[in-house]
Amino acid sequence: MELGVLYSGGKDSTLAALLLEEFYDVTLVTAHFGISDDWTHARETAAALEFEFERLELDPDVARDAAGTIREDGFPRNGIQQVHLHALERLAEREYDAIADGTRRDDRVPTVSRAQAQSLEDRHDVDYIAPLSGFGRTAVDRLVEAELEVVVGPSEEIDRADYEAELRAIIADEAGPGAIAECFPDHTQTYVTGVLE
Amino acid sequence: MELGVLYSGGKDSTLAALLLEEFYDVTLVTAHFGISDDWTHARETAAALEFEFERLELDPDVARDAAGTIREDGFPRNGIQQVHLHALERLAEREYDAIADGTRRDDRVPTVSRAQAQSLEDRHDVDYIAPLSGFGRTAVDRLVEAELEVVVGPSEEIDRADYEAELRAIIADEAGPGAIAECFPDHTQTYVTGVLE
């Protein structure tokens, strides 16, 4: 069965892909708005891990709406959630038997409720799988340490291909670089460079 | 890392074990009350799948309480939930780094809430993992068809090692065989006999 994992190059979507390759023919699929070329970092990790790779183009209107939500809220959670659900819709339209993401049990964002999952499956005749939704934070941290080569650093310095980088770019363009510090709390990100042998 | 999966010989706990063996040293652990020898069926499946196997003895008082709950309710859901949470507590007391079960996204019973999972982890310093909690019914059915050799039939005829058989035996002993038909709706069970090559 062919499965597409929504892929950022981060630890969660990488672990999701490694778990699922036991049962599926996995392609890593990186969603982007065409604003930056951050998606190429995910392509490099996919090559290092020897997975198939595809790009998924998202609707730029969704990026602008999400950037507006983040500026109004003063925090990124709801805007990122909007983009994630849009990316899953787009991925579900592709010809995969199943789609997946790296959502974890303890994530506050993005989250996909059971009702949202069922709706996605029914409308697109596809299985939606969240293989890490039964893993807590400590379990994921231990697996990362045991399985992955990673680089860790502040969000603005780490070469990931999640939506955040492009949303930051839109907000900086609309409201100046200062708006980013107001809306995005400092946090560290992890970027995967390979698997440990 | 050593991981114990609460194991019945059914399709869900078998798939859970197969998913987790990518990352953990998996032992299949079958919980029982010492009332019947149904646990030996799970040992046979574990041997066929070449997994380590252990028994986990549960508290007979919990079985009697659960049987009482089922007779009062007239349906098995709450009694089975009581037994499942007790079995997870007992499993968490063992020397595993992580414990797991076959709970699925669409299961009504047993369910382990995020708060219950976190509490189990904090009190026993163990990771609790529900690897199928991000898989819906259709995804599981497709994996079973692709991966497992199974036998399907009515609950009372299938040689599984879940709690239901022992709870049925207690209820029949206390209230006669007719009480079983009153409390347990007819449903089919699946017992795994091997993996497809």
Side-chain angles (χ1 to χ4, degrees):
Chain A
M1 286 179 285
E2 298 286 333
L3 179 141
V5 178
L6 210 51
Y7 189 66
S8 70
K11 58 190 165 60
D12 298 335
S13 52
T14 301
L15 283 178
L18 293 172
L19 270 170
L20 292 170
E21 76 174 331
E22 173 86 9
F23 290 144
Y24 296 93
D25 296 322
V26 171
T27 299
L28 305 183
V29 183
T30 296
H32 70 110
F33 292 106
I35 292 168
S36 76
D37 59 1
D38 284 319
W39 64 270
T40 59
H41 302 301
R43 185 176 60 184
E44 286 164 24
T45 304
L49 301 175
E50 299 182 352
F51 277 104
E52 295 292 310
F53 178 81
E54 284 190 14
R55 292 160 63 179
L56 181 70
E57 291 195 16
L58 302 183
D59 180 351
D61 286 345
V62 172
R64 280 188 289 273
D65 285 351
T69 301
I70 291 169
R71 287 178 59 196
E72 276 172 42
D73 288 345
F75 54 82
R77 193 190 322 166
N78 297 322
I80 288 176
Q81 176 74 6
Q82 284 171 243
V83 175
H84 189 72
L85 294 179
H86 169 62
L88 283 177
E89 289 288 336
R90 280 284 165 95
L91 183 56
E93 292 164 3
R94 294 264 177 114
E95 294 298 304
Y96 295 108
D97 303 306
I99 62 172
D101 63 18
T103 310
R104 298 182 304 169
R105 186 185 82 198
D106 299 336
D107 277 347
R108 287 192 309 162
V109 61
T111 59
V112 180
S113 70
R114 188 177 147 178
Q116 286 169 325
Q118 191 72 60
S119 164
L120 200 62
E121 292 180 333
D122 291 346
R123 286 181 294 107
H124 297 285
D125 189 23
V126 71
D127 292 332
Y128 163 72
I129 299 166
L132 293 189
S133 68
F135 288 71
R137 184 179 311 275
T138 318
V140 169
D141 289 347
R142 286 181 182 146
L143 286 181
V144 169
E145 192 181 341
E147 304 286 338
L148 303 180
E149 285 175 10
V150 298
V151 179
V152 181
S155 289
E156 62 276 20
E157 291 174 14
I158 290 294
D159 291 335
R160 271 169 63 130
D162 60 2
Y163 325 117
E164 195 177 308
E166 289 188 307
L167 295 175
R168 283 170 180 265
I170 292 173
I171 290 170
D173 190 48
E174 289 177 349
I180 294 176
E182 284 167 27
C183 295
F184 289 87
D186 288 339
H187 65 294
T188 58
Q189 294 279 25
T190 306
Y191 176 67
V192 177
T193 54
V195 286
L196 299 169
E197 293 308 319
Chain B
M1 286 178 285
E2 298 285 335
L3 179 141
V5 178
L6 209 52
Y7 189 65
S8 70
K11 58 189 164 58
D12 298 334
S13 52
T14 301
L15 283 178
L18 293 172
L19 271 169
L20 293 170
E21 77 173 331
E22 174 85 11
F23 290 144
Y24 297 93
D25 296 321
V26 172
T27 299
L28 306 183
V29 183
T30 296
H32 70 110
F33 291 107
I35 292 168
S36 77
D37 59 2
D38 285 318
W39 65 269
T40 60
H41 301 303
R43 185 178 61 185
E44 287 165 23
T45 304
L49 300 175
E50 299 181 353
F51 278 103
E52 294 292 310
F53 178 81
E54 284 190 14
R55 292 160 64 178
L56 182 69
E57 290 194 16
L58 303 182
D59 180 349
D61 287 344
V62 173
R64 279 187 289 272
D65 285 352
T69 301
I70 291 170
R71 287 177 61 194
E72 275 173 44
D73 288 345
F75 53 82
R77 192 189 322 164
N78 297 322
I80 287 177
Q81 176 73 7
Q82 284 172 244
V83 174
H84 189 72
L85 294 178
H86 169 61
L88 284 176
E89 288 289 335
R90 280 284 166 96
L91 183 56
E93 291 164 4
R94 294 265 177 112
E95 293 299 305
Y96 296 108
D97 303 305
I99 62 172
D101 63 18
T103 309
R104 299 183 305 171
R105 187 185 80 199
D106 300 336
D107 277 347
R108 288 191 309 163
V109 61
T111 60
V112 180
S113 70
R114 186 175 148 179
Q116 285 169 327
Q118 191 72 60
S119 165
L120 200 62
E121 292 180 333
D122 292 346
R123 286 180 294 108
H124 297 285
D125 190 25
V126 71
D127 292 332
Y128 163 72
I129 299 166
L132 293 189
S133 68
F135 288 71
R137 186 179 308 276
T138 318
V140 169
D141 288 347
R142 284 179 183 147
L143 287 181
V144 169
E145 193 182 338
E147 304 286 337
L148 301 180
E149 285 176 9
V150 298
V151 178
V152 180
S155 289
E156 62 275 22
E157 292 174 13
I158 290 294
D159 290 335
R160 272 170 61 130
D162 59 3
Y163 324 118
E164 196 178 307
E166 288 188 306
L167 295 175
R168 282 171 180 263
I170 293 173
I171 290 170
D173 191 48
E174 289 177 350
I180 295 175
E182 285 166 29
C183 295
F184 290 88
D186 288 340
H187 66 293
T188 58
Q189 294 278 26
T190 306
Y191 176 68
V192 177
T193 55
V195 288
L196 299 169
E197 291 310 316

